[in-house]
């Protein structure tokens, strides 16, 4: 490889790490804002407090106006009576709450009966009433925030993908050689060098691809790099639905479109119709963020393995992926994502030690997800006789063999082969820490050492905070 090729790979490594860091930081920021809002948002933001029912008759084709009027009246009566039933919040107590619930249930039965009476074979008054409520209710502001966070997260993935496409063309310039690449003489004259023209051509290729959608992007990955969508997702159908929901949020006010029903059929309820509104609740957003994070980092790791020829460069990227996965997913107790990434990294990483470490992480995630019975046999049959002591310790801990594990952990700590931070915070050692405490034994690490690590962590946190304030 020429020096130019080496320089190009080193520059691409910096660009790649910057793009991956940005994506992971963005996802972390979204998670932090999401968690903070869910925990600290005042009640007045968590609910809709404005509701309006009008008796105006919308266009309804051949449906008799008296039927629509009856449905509107049933809705209006329900909310008017409900408002009269609910007292001032300050005067409510536990007994009043139960009484109010019973009253509301009674009013709902009355409304249901009125709507049934207004229905015909060609007009479902109940469904009409639901559509009217969606039209007239003000949205839960926390739900609005979740929708915005979802669109932001998808946008951050798009930024990562565009960076990867650009990096591909810089590392594989021969891919730019196409009969379709045409430039006018006027365009060529605008550039001072061939490198500037090449950069313009790269950006044009990136822009043209980014104007397309997820299916086109995954086809590009398969065609150019032999990276298959099913290998880099938690679930292909779920990821497609996330992108389609983001599309209807941005372009259709959150209402189901024909495109949504066509492109997300596997996860679209049969009851959904064009015009129905889809919300973004807490569970949905959390799972969507996991999907996008998994897709982004697995795509990045696979692209790096395809594009970077030097093993030392791939090792740098693998180390970053491993450390981020352990910090974000294992220590963050996101067991499903941790299991998926660890399993993928076993095949992705180069060295035997990295593969073994990822296999352990996979088992740790499955154990904490209470799915250990499915992999217990694999752990028991794992031959560690010729492996390092820390791997032998891992097998003991996975099988809850604490009496054997404890002296080995102490020996490893004395030899500095077990780090204090790993012992204190790593999920692999959680059950051992609890066992040591229950047995009244001393930790493998002296209290002074634990305090020193905590002090260093606090100093580092202050330094990061100060740097952020100086460089906003």
């Amino acid at each position: 490889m020429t020096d130019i090729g080496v320089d190009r790979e080193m520059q691409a490594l910096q660009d790649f790490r910057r793009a991956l860091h940005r994506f992971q930081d963005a996802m972390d920021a979204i998670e932090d804002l999401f968690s903070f809002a869910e925990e600290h948002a005042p009640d007045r933001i968590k609910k809709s407090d404005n509701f309006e029912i009008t008796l105006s008759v919308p266009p309804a084709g051949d449906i008799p106006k008296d039927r629509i009027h009856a449905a509107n009246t049933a809705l209006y009566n329900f909310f008017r009576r409900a408002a009269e039933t609910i007292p001032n919040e300050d005067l409510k107590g536990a007994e009043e709450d139960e009484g109010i619930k019973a009253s509301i249930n009674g009013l709902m039965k009355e409304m249901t009966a009125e709507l049934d009476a207004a229905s015909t074979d060609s007009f479902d008054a109940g469904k009409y009433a639901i559509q009217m409520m969606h039209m007239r209710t003000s949205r839960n502001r926390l739900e609005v925030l979740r929708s915005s966070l979802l669109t932001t997260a998808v946008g951050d993935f798009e930024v990562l993908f565009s960076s990867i496409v650009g990096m591909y063309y810089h590392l594989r310039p021969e891919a730019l050689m196409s009969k379709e690449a045409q430039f006018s003489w006027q365009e060529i004259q605008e550039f001072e060098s061939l490198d500037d023209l090449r950069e313009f051509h790269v950006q044009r290729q990136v822009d043209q691809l980014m104007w397309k959608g997820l299916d086109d992007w995954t086809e590009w990955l398969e065609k150019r790099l032999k990276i298959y969508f099913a290998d880099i997702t938690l679930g292909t159908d779920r990821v497609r639905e996330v992108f389609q929901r983001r599309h209807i949020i941005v372009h259709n006010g959150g209402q189901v479109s024909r495109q949504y029903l066509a492109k997300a059929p596997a996860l679209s309820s049969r009851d959904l119709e064009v015009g129905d509104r889809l919300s973004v609740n807490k569970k949905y957003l959390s799972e969507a963020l996991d999907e996008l994070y998994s897709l982004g980092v697995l795509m990045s790791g696979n692209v790096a393995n395809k594009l970077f020829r030097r093993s030392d460069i791939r090792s740098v990227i693998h180390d970053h992926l491993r450390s981020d996965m352990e910090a974000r997913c294992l220590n963050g107790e996101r067991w499903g994502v941790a299991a998926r990434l660890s399993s993928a990294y076993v095949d992705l990483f180069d060295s035997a030690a990295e593969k073994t470490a990822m296999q352990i992480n996979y088992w740790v995630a499955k154990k904490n997800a209470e799915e250990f019975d499915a992999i217990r046999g694999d752990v028991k049959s794992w031959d560690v006789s010729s492996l390092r002591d820390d791997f032998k310790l891992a097998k003991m801990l996975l099988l809850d063999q604490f009496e054997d594990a404890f002296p080995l952990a102490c020996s490893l700590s004395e030899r500095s082969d077990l780090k204090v931070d790993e012992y204190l915070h790593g999920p692999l050692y959680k059950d051992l820490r609890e066992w040591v405490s229950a047995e009244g034994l001393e930790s493998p690490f002296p209290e002074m050492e634990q305090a020193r690590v905590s002090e260093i962590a606090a100093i580092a946190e202050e330094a990061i905070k100060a740097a952020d304030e100086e460089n906003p």
Side-chain angles (χ1 to χ4, degrees), residues 336-435:
V337 185
R340 176 68 183 92
L341 295 184
S342 299
S343 176
Y345 290 168
V346 169
D347 297 326
L348 188 66
F349 289 0
D350 294 329
S351 75
E354 287 177 325
K355 291 176 179 293
T356 302
M358 289 303 102
Q359 184 65 63
I360 293 171
N361 284 338
Y362 172 75
W363 286 331
V364 169
K366 298 295 280 186
K367 183 177 181 180
N368 281 278
E370 298 182 355
E371 300 174 358
F372 191 65
D373 288 342
I375 48 96
R376 187 185 301 276
D378 294 335
V379 177
K380 284 186 174 181
S381 62
W382 178 29
D383 183 6
V384 295
S385 58
S386 61
L387 299 182
R388 299 179 334 214
D389 283 348
D390 56 333
F391 291 150
K392 295 175 182 176
L393 174 62
K395 180 176 181 178
M396 295 176 187
L397 295 176
L398 287 165
L399 296 174
D400 295 337
Q401 298 170 349
F402 302 126
E403 291 186 359
D404 295 328
F406 178 67
L408 181 55
C410 292
S411 175
L412 287 169
S413 69
E414 292 173 359
R415 299 178 346 227
S416 297
D417 290 332
L418 174 60
K419 306 302 181 186
V420 61
D421 187 61
E422 185 178 3
Y423 174 79
L424 291 176
H425 305 293
L428 174 63
Y429 301 91
K430 176 178 177 292
D431 292 338
L432 177 62
R433 295 194 299 268
E434 294 177 353
W435 181 85

Side-chain angles (χ1 to χ4, degrees), residues 32-238:
D32 290 343
L33 181 56
F34 169 40
S35 299
F36 181 86
E38 294 291 340
E39 182 177 354
H40 299 288
D43 289 340
R44 62 184 176 81
I45 290 179
K46 293 181 180 180
K47 63 183 180 180
S48 294
D49 53 8
N50 295 324
F51 193 92
E52 175 188 2
I53 290 293
T54 65
L55 300 183
S56 59
V57 180
D62 297 331
I63 299 173
K65 292 183 179 181
D66 62 331
R67 298 289 179 177
I68 294 178
H69 181 81
N72 280 333
T73 301
L75 270 176
Y76 178 81
N77 288 339
F78 170 77
F79 285 100
R80 178 179 56 78
R81 295 165 185 165
E84 295 171 352
T85 300
I86 300 175
N88 186 290
E89 291 287 331
D90 296 335
L91 301 179
K92 280 172 48 178
E95 294 182 1
E96 287 85 355
D97 282 344
E98 292 302 319
I100 290 169
K101 289 179 182 178
S103 298
I104 295 299
N105 286 335
L107 293 176
M108 289 184 67
K109 290 179 181 179
E110 291 179 16
M111 178 179 66
T112 301
E114 292 177 17
L115 291 172
D116 288 342
S119 297
T120 66
D121 291 340
S122 59
F123 175 62
D124 187 336
K127 189 168 185 177
Y128 166 80
I130 291 174
Q131 293 173 340
M132 287 297 293
M133 284 192 287
H134 280 309
M135 291 171 61
R136 299 297 178 184
T137 52
S138 65
R139 293 175 65 192
N140 177 316
R141 279 174 281 181
L142 204 52
E143 193 273 327
V144 174
L145 174 62
R146 295 190 204 105
S147 297
S148 298
L149 292 178
L150 178 68
T151 62
T152 300
V154 173
D156 286 316
F157 172 81
E158 292 176 352
V159 172
L160 174 65
F161 183 75
S162 67
S163 298
I164 283 177
V165 175
M167 184 182 69
Y168 167 82
Y169 284 116
H170 280 108
L171 288 176
R172 300 279 179 85
E174 64 275 11
L176 293 171
M177 298 177 184
S178 169
K179 294 180 180 179
E180 298 177 0
Q182 298 180 358
F183 299 94
S184 67
W185 179 246
Q186 182 178 356
E187 286 178 320
I188 294 175
Q189 287 183 312
E190 293 177 359
F191 300 98
E192 296 182 358
S193 67
L194 184 60
D195 287 339
D196 290 340
L197 178 60
R198 184 183 295 111
E199 182 64 33
F200 170 78
H201 187 31
V202 167
Q203 191 57 51
R204 187 163 67 174
Q205 296 300 310
V206 173
D207 291 343
Q208 288 174 353
L209 180 59
M210 294 309 299
W211 274 109
K212 300 178 181 179
L214 180 64
D215 290 340
D216 297 284
W217 303 344
T218 57
E219 182 181 349
W220 184 90
L221 285 171
E222 292 179 8
K223 180 179 178 181
R224 297 286 184 172
L225 293 167
K226 299 295 187 280
I227 296 173
Y228 299 95
F229 193 38
D231 296 334
I232 58 175
T233 63
L234 291 174
T236 56
D237 290 335
R238 293 198 300 270

